[in-house]
Amino acid sequence: MNRRYRKTIIAGNWKMNNTLTQTKAFAEEIKPIMPRGKWCNVVLCVPATNIQAAVRLFKDCHIAIGAETCHYEEKGAYTGEITAAMIKDAGAKYVIIGHSERRQYYNETDFTVNKKVHAAIEAGLIPIVCVGESLEQRELGVTMELIAYQVKCALAGVAPEKVRHIVIAYEPLWAIGTGKTATAEQAGEVCQAIRTVIRKQYGAHVARSVTIQYGGSMNAKNAAELLAQPDVDGGLIGGASLKPEDFVQIIHAANQE
Ligand code: PEP
């Protein structure tokens, strides 16, 4: 983390979990244990049906709300989809774009990720753009090239002053939901490489302002070590964000001096 230049952001990704009733119960449980007045920003990305209620439920404990994906068109015949403007209108501030599960199950490509990043920015949302390599790609030794390609595609055509506010989440596919975490060195190395890509494209000022998260089985035990890496500015957290106590432990780790 480097709080001097950029925000530390701890974001939960609830995926397809939690009904409205469960969301209310989560809010009641987390409110009394939420740390206050510290440095890190906290976000929960929730199923679309919960956004509006979550904005209201988590307002007084300063948790911002995000969506888990959006469509790139402004409107039209895309049954089942929602636009970035709809998400913004529901009160959300963030949207996850290009999560590996979307890339794997819903044909999300680097091309559609780029279109969604543009749509999110246009609507006034902060995109959390996910990039990451598979185990095979890591073993082939192409991680850095692949990540650079994904980052460049995602940000293509985005103005530098907008790139400054984007969040990038480095999520190695082999670490998501597997209980297998990247070592702090692996996470730090790739997050640093992402910042270098941004520096080369957009300059040092933009690069040092961008929040780069690590995601992949981050939990209460390993968070502090991962967040101690200078280029790891937070976490995107799946499983552990479903348990208020575990999520709060990660927030505490991000608030350490
Ligand atoms: C994720 O879904 O973005 C994620 C990192 O999941 P988990 O923390 O469960 O590995």
Side-chain angles (χ1 to χ4, degrees), residues 8-191:
T8 302
I9 304 177
I10 296 297
N13 172 17
W14 276 4
K15 312 191 186 196
M16 198 171 72
N17 292 292
N18 284 340
T19 61
L20 211 45
T21 310
Q22 289 165 328
T23 303
K24 282 180 195 153
F26 184 105
E28 272 162 35
E29 222 180 298
I30 204 167
K31 265 183 201 170
I33 56 172
M34 249 321 260
R36 276 163 211 275
K38 290 287 191 160
W39 306 279
C40 99
N41 291 26
V42 183
V43 181
L44 277 175
C45 298
V46 303
T49 47
N50 292 355
I51 292 174
Q52 235 181 327
V55 168
R56 189 171 32 81
L57 286 166
F58 293 102
K59 202 173 165 195
D60 26 309
C61 56
H62 305 288
I63 298 180
I65 299 303
E68 299 175 10
T69 184
C70 66
H71 200 275
Y72 50 80
E73 292 292 356
E74 274 176 38
K75 59 179 178 176
Y78 298 98
T79 304
E81 293 288 334
I82 55 172
T83 69
M86 289 170 186
I87 293 166
K88 173 78 179 170
D89 201 34
K93 203 170 162 193
Y94 293 81
V95 58
I96 298 174
I97 293 176
H99 190 279
S100 62
E101 287 150 17
R102 301 289 314 175
R103 292 181 192 250
Q104 186 181 352
Y105 305 128
Y106 301 98
N107 302 325
E108 198 131 306
T109 65
D110 291 311
F111 179 66
T112 56
V113 166
N114 176 251
K115 292 189 11 157
K116 289 182 179 201
V117 167
H118 281 273
I121 293 170
E122 190 60 34
L125 293 170
I126 299 172
I128 300 177
V129 182
C130 301
V131 296
E133 83 288 3
S134 66
L135 189 57
E136 292 75 16
Q137 288 161 334
R138 176 160 279 269
E139 285 171 355
L140 279 174
V142 298
T143 299
M144 295 307 187
E145 288 88 343
L146 179 88
I147 300 289
Y149 177 78
Q150 290 178 334
V151 171
K152 284 182 195 170
C153 287
L155 303 183
V158 179
E161 66 271 19
K162 301 286 183 193
V163 173
R164 280 188 65 204
H165 304 290
I166 285 175
V167 179
I168 310 268
Y170 166 54
E171 298 213 308
L173 273 56
W174 45 272
I176 298 178
T178 58
K180 238 191 215 177
T181 318
T183 63
E185 291 70 30
Q186 285 170 326
E189 190 186 24
V190 180
C191 290

